[in-house]
Amino acid sequence: MASDEKPVCRGDWHPRDSSRSVPSRLIVRDGQVRAIADDGAELASAVFSKLDISPRVGSIPRRIEFADGTLFETTDNTAIDALQSANGGGRAGFIHGLERFHPRLLAFVAAVFLLSGLVYRYALPVLVEVAVAVTPPVVPRLMSLSTLETLDRTVLGETKLDDAKRKAISDGFARIAANSARGPSAYTLNFREGGAIGPNAFALPDGTLIITDELVGLSDGDTEMLVGVLAHEIGHVELEHSLRQIYRAAGMAGLIMLIAGDVGDSVEDLLVQGGGLLALSYSRDAEAAADRHSVELMQKAGYDPTAIARFFEIIENKLGDTSATNILSTHPGTPGRRKAILDYEAELRGKPAGN
Ligand SMILES: [Zn+2]
């Protein structure tokens, strides 16, 4: 063995266009890669750059093709990798492999994400609208019933407001409900002690509204302001915000299931338990739309259209933006909302009568 001879590995050499196989070894000598038979005869040789080496794919044997068309085949992947990197071919081989094998996987992953993105962006909103449109009234009624039952069992308590106070709020509520698009029979107002949810008012999708004693307590006797808040909640019902939220969450869960094959417990809980309705907070756009609805409805009922703006003033002053269990957590985005309400009212006033 010459001093500059480097063994590479053992394998089988095949003559060109022949299935005959000659047990042999691959070596590097004098700058050439050579296939040497066990009897010492040289079967083929070439400089490294003239070799065509098949990429590494699992444990499939590597094929090294010489310029004369003969083949050396070996299962010693590691030796071939070492030969390639010793000749500066490791990097090329890596890129070669990447080009040949990863694009399919990358393209598949990209396609899944693109498809999900398209479904989320274009199909989901349409599906949500369709689902809202075809939902029979019994569905929101059942959802609402089970939600109120759950809340009564867990957080809400019996109201401690006196009859006079309740009557004043109920009368105001009847006035705006009478002016609502769905009419007075579509809405019922319930008084409860808020417990863990504190000062709050919310609407269930079937038009069941709940106002807590704590919120009434915050109002300092400003009943008109409370009616403004209830008008905002009627807005959420008429614009079907909570149904949309539920369907969007269900659609998202479906997408997550498609991609990950599983949904987290919390998403599942959200979908199967009515109580999850409360965990859904509305988007900023939905809140702004409900605010404008309050302005319009209060104006129709002959109240101060901007009464709900006083409510935002109070929660800014009395509660701050930090409490996690107050109305802010289900009604996010107060900064700027008060101004938007006043602007909208001014805009309505500025319009010619009849518009
Ligand atoms: Zn709201």
Side-chain angles (χ1 to χ4, degrees):
M1 196 202 280
S3 62
D4 69 336
E5 177 179 321
K6 290 197 196 85
V8 178
C9 59
R10 284 203 60 82
D12 290 303
W13 176 82
H14 308 279
R16 187 187 178 122
D17 301 328
S18 164
S19 59
R20 189 165 65 91
S21 126
V22 181
S24 52
R25 61 200 164 93
L26 205 64
I27 62 160
V28 178
R29 192 177 62 214
D30 300 334
Q32 299 249 331
V33 180
R34 299 163 196 269
I36 307 292
D38 287 349
D39 63 7
E42 184 171 297
L43 303 165
S45 71
V47 291
F48 178 81
S49 61
K50 296 282 184 215
L51 296 176
D52 188 8
I53 302 176
S54 67
R56 178 171 186 158
V57 184
S59 56
I60 295 171
R62 302 286 280 274
R63 295 157 74 90
I64 294 109
E65 192 178 341
F66 288 90
D68 63 2
T70 64
L71 273 179
F72 180 86
E73 213 173 47
T74 178
T75 53
D76 195 342
N77 266 317
T78 314
I80 300 304
D81 287 347
L83 175 70
Q84 283 182 309
S85 63
N87 286 276
R91 202 177 123 79
F94 172 69
I95 289 171
H96 190 57
L98 193 74
E99 277 166 358
R100 288 199 42 181
F101 297 99
H102 291 236
R104 249 175 295 159
L105 180 64
L106 290 177
F108 176 73
V109 171
V112 167
F113 274 92
L114 181 69
L115 188 67
S116 312
L118 287 175
V119 168
Y120 180 70
R121 176 80 176 73
Y122 297 105
L124 196 55
V126 174
L127 290 175
V128 165
E129 290 311 307
V130 170
V132 167
V134 303
T135 300
V138 68
V139 173
R141 201 168 310 134
L142 287 176
M143 281 178 179
S144 304
L145 251 170
S146 72
T147 300
L148 190 55
E149 262 172 25
T150 305
L151 289 172
D152 277 339
R153 227 181 17 247
T154 53
V155 276
L156 298 177
E158 234 174 273
T159 180
K160 293 186 174 58
L161 295 178
D162 62 52
D163 290 351
K165 201 154 219 167
R166 270 190 304 177
K167 185 173 185 315
I169 298 167
S170 292
D171 286 350
F173 177 71
R175 226 166 105 183
I176 52 166
N179 282 278
S180 72
R182 294 190 182 185
S185 63
Y187 296 98
T188 52
L189 179 62
N190 299 271
F191 294 91
R192 293 286 192 279
E193 193 175 59
I197 63 168
N200 219 323
F202 53 91
L204 302 175
D206 73 337
T208 300
L209 272 69
I210 292 105
I211 187 167
T212 68
D213 293 0
E214 291 87 337
L215 185 65
V216 175
L218 272 183
S219 71
D220 287 333
D222 187 349
T223 302
E224 188 181 46
M225 182 201 82
L226 292 174
V227 175
V229 172
L230 295 174
H232 167 99
E233 295 304 328
I234 285 180
H236 280 312
V237 176
E238 304 223 318
L239 300 168
E240 297 182 290
H241 287 155
S242 53
L243 263 190
R244 279 201 178 79
Q245 279 291 84
I246 291 161
Y247 288 136
R248 210 169 288 141
M252 277 306 294
L255 272 182
I256 294 166
M257 267 193 284
L258 265 180
I259 297 170
D262 194 14
V263 281
D265 287 347
S266 56
V267 179
E268 235 168 72
D269 288 351
L270 193 73
L271 296 177
V272 298
Q273 287 176 15
L277 278 180
L278 266 194
L280 297 166
S281 58
Y282 297 122
S283 69
R284 246 159 226 261
D285 285 352
E287 288 305 333
D291 286 347
R292 288 194 296 274
H293 201 94
S294 173
V295 171
E296 291 165 13
L297 195 50
M298 290 293 277
Q299 191 180 46
K300 266 192 215 163
Y303 281 117
D304 171 11
T306 64
I308 192 176
R310 300 205 291 275
F311 165 71
F312 288 117
E313 208 173 341
I314 284 178
I315 55 176
E316 279 162 30
N317 294 340
K318 291 196 179 178
L319 297 179
D321 280 358
T322 50
S323 171
T325 53
N326 63 43
I327 195 162
L328 289 173
S329 61
T330 44
H331 291 78
T334 33
R337 272 176 77 181
R338 201 155 61 88
K339 186 180 177 306
I341 289 159
L342 299 177
D343 287 351
Y344 184 61
E345 193 272 333
E347 190 189 317
L348 288 183
R349 249 187 305 124
K351 278 182 183 175
N355 261 13

